Amino acid sequence: MLLIPCPWCGPRSQIEFTYGGDATVRRPALDAPEDEWARYVYVRDNPMGPHDEWWTHSSGCRQWFVVRRDTRTHEILGANRP
Amino acid sequence: MQRCRLPMGGVVDRSQSVPFEFDGVSYEGYAGDTLASALLANGVHLVARSFKYHRPRGIVCAGVDEPNALVQLGRGARSEPNVRATTQELYAGLRAASQNRWPSLSFDVGAINDAMSRFIPAGFYYKTFMWPPSPKWWLRYEHVIRRVAGMGVTASLPDPDSYEHQYAHCDVLVIGAGPAGLAAARSAAHAGARVIVCDENPMLGGGLYGAAATIGDTTASAWLQATTRELAAHDNVTLLPRTTAFGCYDGNLIGLIERVAGHPPEAAATGSSDSARQDGPVSNWMPRERLWKVRARSVVLATGAHERGIAYANNDLPGTMLAGALRTYIDRYAVRPGTRAVVFANNDQAYAAAFSLQRAGIEVAAIVDPRGGAALDGALPLAARDNVIPILARSVITGAHGRLHVTAVDVAPLAGGVGRRIECDLVALSGGWNPAVHLFSQARGKLRYDEALATFVPDHCPAAMTVAGAANGSADLSTALHEGHAAGIAAAAQVGFAATASLQTPEAAPVASGAPLALWSTAPVVEGAKRFVDWQNDVTVDDVALAAREGYSSVEHLKRYTTLGMGTDQGKISNVVGLALLAGELERPIASVGTTTFRPPYTPVTLGAFPGHDAGPHVEPSRFSSIHDWHVAHGARFVNAGLWKRPHSYPRKGESADDAALREARNVRTNVGIVDVSTLGKIELQGGDVAEFLNRVYINRWDTLQVGRCRYGVMLRDDGIVLDDGTTSRLASSHYLLTTTTVNAVRILQYLESLLQTEWPELDVCVTSVTEQWSAAALAGPRARDVLAKIVDLDVSNAAFPFLAVARCQVRTATGPVEARVFRMSYSGELAYEIHVPAHKGRAMWNAAIAAGADCGIMAYGTEAMSTLRIEKGHIVVGAEADGRTTAHDLGLGELVSRAKPCIGQRLAGRPALNSTDRWQLVGLTTLGDPMPRAAKIVADPDRAAPNPMLGHVTSWCRSPNLDAWIALALLENGRARHGQTLWAVSPLASVRVQVRVVPPCFIDPEGERLRG
């Protein structure tokens, strides 16, 4: 049960949040070519170590932010506003 | 009476005699006893038959590490198997029975397994029960095996007790209230930190409780009392006895389980013999257990250490106990478990058991110690020599004798050679001590094998965690107190607390000890004699050798192949011995073999404690529309739509729910119906860029939507698959209302918020959920306008309020006018209006509509009729037609896609594979009179041998009362080109096949005249 530091509300239990996926990729422009969209939808890195990911404080302030979490140890290294 | 109770000493309360029953025989113990200590006080040693070999077994330990003394406790709904007699507090009227034996403990038919043990070594079931090869035979074997497997019997009635949850935060959590833990709690509290201290025992003190030791110039018990009082006096200290820390989770979240009721009452007994109380909690309103979820900023682990055994032949005979446990029974519980004892130990600490034995008047025939020379110069061996206790140095026990109880042991030199037999009725066994590193390892702490201590000790601590005392390998009392004291100061300092005045460290006299000698097993005199490593699962030294021979060289494989350490005791006294023996077999260092992974819970936790009060109907919250009571009063049958309760139909007297739905659906198309649609997701969007935002998330255009109009929209996922659909209205120039399906409401709101916060923060758009703020009802049918006209102050003629119009107005209710929004949209395909009012006015609006429709034949309809109506019109539903694999084009919504602007998903929706002609497309199906089979697949020839190509499947189906036919919506390969074809709908599981005709997916009013009239 991670302790996630919401940049607005402070550290809260993981149960208050919803995971939102990889934060190192961004949607291409809506009219970007197909291979850019395919890369965004289907291709991901899978690093062992610190990883940036989206979380939203769904049971709190409902803000989305980026958490840096070590995928091996689950240690939370920091959180930033988008 | 209690023939093996010492006349004085111990911490049992001799003024309170406690009657109890074991295997039908009545005994008496004292308040403060455990079931095990009370049995021993009555001279009862034989308490169980072992799991596989059904060998006679006695009590080995004095705590949670007990492998043998598992009993069935209680009756009826509270009957509990595998209760450890060594931790079960004695209460008046306790009824326990031994397990795994028939017909009795002293004569057990299952003992034949012991004679057949050659055929049932570890892992035998991987090589047997394979002949004859038919599965039918395996099921016969399994039936028998199931009956003889296991030990106790679970209750077959629901758990009558309640369990609570408690959340807590603290600065320092101290796990374990032995000397190190109490010292840590004391110094952390003194520094000003909020401290929680927990200990699994009913009384604090750990190994000090009831022990004969000195701290400073007071006795251990006086120090314990003073320290407990000191801690209890602190405002910032919470003491939790009877509370086990069972798991360490991420972020220093620790799970504790507190036993609240179900043990004898603290206050003086009321004197009544309340039989209902005897087997269960003290009072009806107290929870049986309380689950604590503690978020600790810093943790001090003072969890102590477990003694381990040595594997010699027949080391499982009753009367064989771990030396520390024997000390506890003598000193704490004033029990005299035998008359003549042999101590077998490879370490100094066990010598203290010899002194306890002497004090209890038990003759110590010998201390058998494999060590010799300088190793025996420690303070305790010297004291043994002073007390004239014979020490047989450089010697080991090679076997024990006896049938139901130990009667003698064979002792021989460690180096081999002729031995001798020593008669005894008690063996105090000690192979050394293992720090209790379970929680430490769960928190990802790293262990190191210490050759000098011959055990695994904590090496690298995780952040915000300290280990102190025996758990750290520091068994000496003086060191434990110092480490605990320092750990408390460090833990408090780590989170910002430091005492201004210093606190004196508790002192005890350090005891010089000789080094232990690692000894895991001894060679038997008789080959094949069983030397037990894991008592509970009957795993012997030979089983470990077998596993190594068969190639199981990983300690994890050893565990699973032999089941060593997999019992209810999780191998607390066995695991290290087992892995050390494996290391010996593989000729590798013990450090390289390592331990198996430690997982929570540390000791068993009652299942009911995890849901707590969120059980039964409270597993999930239930959500109700504000009109719910009307539905109940009118006989509605309810279904779940997500967490919401929605009426399925309103069966009348003598009518089935399905017949009611048919009646309701027919009435909508002939008169007028009303349905509660309050549960639909509603999201308000406001801002100057809403139209642009909607353009990006919907496939169709929104910048052309005028104020006072609504439009159907479809959203795609990033990969081009349909995500959701709904109707969005423009209430004012910068004010829109978006609807979603009931079960998707939360997800879609989250999706829209993520787009606005992370993708397009530059857009001037705010969104919020208003699902709960508005109640809504839909009036549908040819007479809907008549009903609406009576209750709203709006011109509802077709010219003034056409299809897809939206207006604000007032609804006339019995309690006065109510502000409302009316939307002319239709899910049923009939002339229809949705009326939205503030949530608390929903019932008033509903009543007004019902009253106004009385002479139009209005009927309430539920989700089943609603479903029938939308299938008749071919309206798709997310979850059925839009199943996460279908595109807008598949569903016949391709022409909604606007070419004038891009949207999410559009690019990948254009991929060739998503547009090929052999894709499954939405069609309608009708049968020739037969019912549509459930979950049917579509094939061309039902008689074709497997594999029969599946051309499609049915997504929704119903009996249509308006067409008097069975109809369905289906996804069919190249469906739009097959209108008019005859195919087969088959349900192989039900062996049903029905001919169907492929038709366009709209069965009623395809031109939409009723909608627009």
Side-chain angles (χ1 to χ4, degrees):
Chain A
M1 183 63 68
L2 301 172
L3 192 64
I4 297 179
C6 173
W8 292 268
C9 304
R12 293 286 187 277
S13 182
Q14 177 184 343
I15 205 168
E16 296 185 16
F17 298 87
T18 306
Y19 175 71
D22 193 333
T24 64
V25 294
R26 302 303 291 266
R27 278 187 181 84
L30 291 178
D31 56 0
E34 185 185 293
D35 60 328
E36 275 184 49
W37 271 101
R39 205 161 36 245
Y40 166 72
V41 169
Y42 296 112
V43 178
R44 290 288 181 277
D45 286 333
N46 189 18
M48 179 165 79
H51 174 59
D52 287 350
E53 53 196 30
W54 289 110
W55 285 85
T56 176
H57 198 181
S58 41
S59 297
C61 63
R62 300 197 67 82
Q63 299 306 299
W64 286 88
F65 55 98
V66 178
V67 172
R68 179 160 293 178
R69 176 180 65 92
D70 189 310
T71 58
R72 206 169 32 93
T73 63
H74 290 203
E75 189 188 345
I76 305 262
L77 301 163
N80 284 308
R81 307 181 179 205
Chain B
M1 282 290 291
Q2 300 179 40
R3 58 187 178 86
C4 295
R5 182 80 72 180
L6 295 169
M8 46 188 185
V11 293
V12 288
D13 182 356
R14 294 169 195 268
S15 72
Q16 290 192 58
S17 174
V18 180
F20 68 99
E21 210 179 275
F22 177 67
D23 274 358
V25 180
S26 296
Y27 302 96
E28 267 179 18
Y30 290 133
D33 262 330
T34 61
L35 175 59
S37 65
L39 285 170
L40 289 172
N42 283 278
V44 176
H45 278 265
L46 178 63
V47 291
R49 287 279 177 162
S50 71
F51 179 50
K52 185 165 65 167
Y53 300 129
H54 287 253
R55 289 166 68 96
R57 289 290 170 81
I59 296 160
V60 175
C61 305
V64 297
D65 41 352
E66 174 62 33
N68 282 341
L70 306 180
V71 301
Q72 186 89 26
L73 192 69
R75 301 275 174 97
R78 294 200 171 93
S79 174
E80 197 178 333
N82 302 336
V83 173
R84 287 178 296 266
T86 52
T87 56
Q88 175 59 46
E89 295 180 56
L90 195 70
Y91 56 84
L94 183 152
R95 266 185 293 229
S98 57
Q99 301 178 150
N100 203 38
R101 80 292 181 272
W102 187 83
S104 74
L105 258 187
S106 45
F107 179 73
D108 177 23
V109 163
I112 193 163
N113 286 358
D114 198 23
M116 305 239 301
S117 58
R118 259 197 65 223
F119 301 102
I120 49 172
F124 73 92
Y125 34 80
Y126 295 119
K127 304 161 184 161
T128 49
F129 305 115
M130 294 179 188
W131 190 90
S134 136
K136 194 170 48 163
W137 274 99
W138 163 243
L139 289 174
R140 288 190 189 143
Y141 295 134
E142 196 224 2
H143 181 72
V144 174
I145 293 169
R146 208 170 266 285
R147 304 253 309 275
V148 304
M151 294 201 279
V153 179
T154 55
S156 55
L157 297 169
D159 187 341
D161 293 319
S162 71
Y163 302 82
E164 272 180 10
H165 283 186
Q166 175 90 38
Y167 288 86
H169 295 78
C170 64
D171 298 311
V172 180
L173 172 67
V174 178
I175 302 177
L182 288 173
R186 191 173 157 266
S187 61
H190 179 77
R194 283 174 307 165
V195 179
I196 295 178
V197 192
C198 65
D199 192 288
E200 65 193 357
N201 295 300
M203 306 297 291
L204 305 182
L208 275 186
Y209 182 59
T214 344
I215 298 184
D217 47 8
T218 56
T219 61
S221 74
W223 183 84
L224 273 180
Q225 277 178 20
T227 308
T228 307
R229 259 199 312 274
E230 191 185 327
L231 287 172
H234 272 278
D235 281 337
N236 50 329
V237 173
T238 305
L239 292 174
L240 294 177
R242 289 193 180 91
T243 304
T244 305
F246 62 83
C248 271
Y249 305 93
D250 294 314
N252 265 6
L253 182 79
I254 318 289
L256 310 179
I257 188 76
E258 177 188 4
R259 287 164 284 282
V260 181
H263 56 265
E266 303 282 46
T270 60
S272 71
S273 58
D274 180 4
S275 62
R277 212 183 59 184
Q278 284 163 1
D279 288 330
V282 173
S283 108
N284 284 336
W285 50 265
M286 277 173 68
R288 181 160 173 230
E289 292 175 3
R290 187 175 290 127
L291 180 72
W292 291 71
K293 302 182 195 182
V294 179
R295 189 74 76 172
R297 295 173 68 202
S298 184
V299 174
V300 175
L301 283 175
T303 44
H306 294 127
E307 203 165 19
R308 63 189 181 218
I310 303 172
Y312 60 84
N314 300 325
N315 61 340
D316 66 327
L317 282 167
T320 313
M321 291 192 205
L322 295 182
L326 192 54
R327 258 184 81 195
T328 300
Y329 285 118
I330 295 172
D331 294 342
R332 187 189 293 175
Y333 298 107
V335 170
R336 191 186 56 233
T339 58
R340 192 165 197 262
V342 170
V343 178
F344 181 24
N346 67 348
N347 60 83
D348 277 21
Q349 284 74 32
Y351 280 62
F355 309 138
S356 295
L357 286 161
Q358 272 196 329
R359 277 197 300 276
I362 301 173
E363 183 191 347
V364 183
I367 298 178
V368 179
D369 195 325
R371 302 173 297 166
L376 292 179
D377 286 344
L380 289 169
L382 284 176
R385 289 196 274 278
D386 288 345
N387 285 16
V388 197
I389 300 177
I391 299 178
L392 298 175
R394 296 188 182 85
S395 301
V396 295
I397 292 182
T398 54
H401 299 273
R403 196 178 70 84
L404 295 179
H405 196 92
V406 63
T407 55
V409 294
D410 291 331
V411 179
L414 174 65
V418 177
R420 48 185 259 233
R421 185 162 297 193
I422 303 180
E423 286 183 6
C424 61
D425 64 358
L426 203 53
V427 177
L429 179 60
S430 180
W433 290 82
N434 301 323
V437 293
H438 307 68
L439 295 173
F440 175 81
S441 303
Q442 288 170 24
R444 290 181 221 277
K446 294 285 167 269
L447 298 173
R448 159 182 78 80
Y449 184 72
D450 187 311
E451 294 282 350
L453 295 173
T455 192
F456 288 88
V457 295
D459 184 25
H460 180 69
C461 261
M465 184 172 280
T466 342
V467 191
N472 203 24
S474 308
D476 177 55
L477 179 59
S478 162
T479 318
L481 289 167
H482 274 257
E483 276 187 11
H485 183 85
I489 291 172
Q494 197 172 37
V495 294
F497 292 92
T500 44
S502 76
L503 183 71
Q504 196 172 29
T505 316
E507 296 284 355
V511 175
S513 295
L517 177 72
L519 181 69
W520 315 107
S521 65
T522 65
V525 172
V526 177
E527 202 189 303
K530 298 188 181 68
R531 298 170 285 164
F532 287 93
V533 178
D534 181 333
W535 277 260
Q536 185 164 132
N537 281 3
D538 273 345
V539 180
T540 63
V541 175
D542 292 337
D543 289 327
V544 177
L546 174 68
R549 240 179 6 253
E550 300 204 344
Y552 296 102
S553 51
S554 150
V555 66
E556 297 282 3
H557 286 156
L558 168 70
K559 170 179 175 178
R560 284 148 181 90
Y561 188 66
T562 62
T563 75
L564 191 160
M566 292 181 72
T568 66
D569 63 335
Q570 289 287 285
K572 288 178 172 60
I573 66 174
S574 323
N575 286 336
V576 175
V577 176
L579 67 90
L581 287 169
L582 179 67
E585 289 288 332
L586 301 174
E587 292 175 357
R588 280 167 46 188
I590 290 175
S592 78
V593 170
T595 62
T596 54
T597 303
F598 295 88
R599 297 189 174 91
Y602 168 66
T603 47
V605 177
T606 312
L607 278 178
F610 287 109
H613 288 302
D614 297 335
H618 302 295
V619 165
E620 278 184 324
S622 296
R623 306 184 74 179
F624 304 96
S625 137
S626 67
I627 306 167
H628 183 79
D629 288 346
W630 189 96
H631 305 316
V632 173
H634 286 77
R637 200 192 101 173
F638 287 92
V639 286
N640 294 333
L643 298 177
W644 297 93
K645 300 286 184 226
R646 298 193 70 183
H648 166 278
S649 54
Y650 302 81
R652 293 179 177 165
K653 220 172 165 67
E655 207 182 28
S656 73
D658 288 337
D659 287 340
L662 290 172
R663 166 179 55 78
E664 292 162 17
R666 197 179 296 117
N667 185 66
V668 168
R669 296 214 192 276
T670 50
N671 294 323
V672 56
I674 183 168
V675 59
D676 183 350
V677 294
S678 304
T679 64
L680 258 67
K682 310 173 206 55
I683 298 172
E684 290 222 352
L685 304 100
Q686 298 201 28
D689 292 332
V690 174
E692 171 60 25
F693 181 55
L694 295 174
N695 272 357
R696 296 183 190 184
V697 300
Y698 275 127
I699 60 179
N700 45 340
R701 275 188 78 171
W702 295 86
D703 50 300
T704 53
L705 184 69
Q706 296 164 22
V707 174
R709 287 290 185 271
C710 62
R711 185 171 287 174
Y712 175 72
V714 174
M715 287 186 202
L716 303 181
R717 300 190 318 213
D718 289 311
D719 64 354
I721 300 295
V722 171
L723 170 66
D724 198 54
D725 69 344
T727 313
T728 296
S729 313
R730 187 172 188 183
L731 303 174
S733 73
S734 305
H735 186 185
Y736 292 71
L737 179 75
L738 183 155
T739 64
T740 75
T741 33
T742 300
V743 292
N744 261 353
V746 170
R747 216 171 319 149
I748 295 298
L749 176 67
Q750 205 155 273
Y751 170 60
L752 297 178
E753 285 175 332
S754 82
L755 292 173
L756 289 169
Q757 290 177 32
T758 70
E759 290 289 344
W760 308 310
E762 71 280 1
L763 288 181
D764 173 26
V765 178
C766 294
V767 295
T768 190
S769 164
V770 295
T771 302
E772 291 162 28
Q773 277 66 28
W774 296 88
S775 289
L779 276 171
R783 307 198 64 183
R785 180 178 284 122
D786 299 341
V787 177
L788 187 68
K790 288 191 205 174
I791 59 174
V792 295
D793 60 343
L794 196 62
D795 180 354
V796 293
S797 64
N798 197 24
F801 201 56
F803 181 53
L804 298 180
V806 176
R808 282 185 234 255
C809 63
Q810 306 238 307
V811 171
R812 283 184 285 274
T813 76
T815 50
V818 171
E819 62 164 300
R821 296 165 174 173
V822 179
F823 305 78
R824 186 169 161 189
M825 51 180 158
S826 177
Y827 191 48
S828 56
E830 294 301 311
L831 169 65
Y833 304 86
E834 254 184 50
I835 309 168
H836 291 213
V837 294
H840 61 294
K841 297 288 191 187
R843 182 69 187 271
M845 174 267 288
W846 182 272
N847 287 347
I850 292 279
D855 56 0
C856 296
I858 195 168
M859 279 184 203
Y861 65 102
T863 57
E864 189 65 12
M866 200 166 66
S867 177
T868 298
L869 294 166
R870 70 99 188 160
I871 293 173
E872 288 174 341
K873 284 298 293 186
H875 287 152
I876 64 156
V877 143
V878 170
E881 288 72 39
D883 64 359
R885 296 174 291 185
T886 47
T887 65
H889 192 68
D890 295 338
L891 299 175
L893 300 167
E895 71 273 10
L896 273 184
V897 179
S898 165
R899 310 271 166 244
K901 50 87 192 172
C903 69
I904 285 182
Q906 192 178 51
R907 181 60 78 200
L908 290 183
R911 289 178 283 170
L914 293 184
N915 292 280
S916 69
T917 49
D918 60 357
R919 279 191 71 79
W920 289 15
Q921 297 166 347
L922 184 69
V923 296
L925 298 176
T926 57
T927 73
L928 307 177
D930 293 316
M932 190 73 67
R934 167 176 292 273
K937 312 298 175 192
I938 304 167
V939 296
D941 174 7
D943 292 316
R944 182 164 157 175
N948 193 347
M950 189 165 72
L951 299 177
H953 65 208
V954 168
T955 56
S956 312
W957 78 102
C958 68
R959 168 88 192 154
S960 163
N962 293 298
L963 300 161
D964 204 21
W966 286 89
I967 59 173
L969 294 175
L971 291 168
L972 180 64
E973 182 194 81
N974 200 13
R976 286 194 281 272
R978 290 180 184 261
H979 292 171
Q981 281 184 19
T982 303
L983 295 168
W984 288 86
V986 301
S987 179
L989 286 177
S991 300
V992 173
R993 52 158 73 172
V994 162
Q995 251 189 332
V996 290
R997 188 179 193 75
V998 181
V999 296
C1002 181
F1003 302 87
I1004 289 187
D1005 186 28
E1007 302 305 313
E1009 284 165 11
R1010 301 188 196 204
L1011 277 179
R1012 298 182 161 77

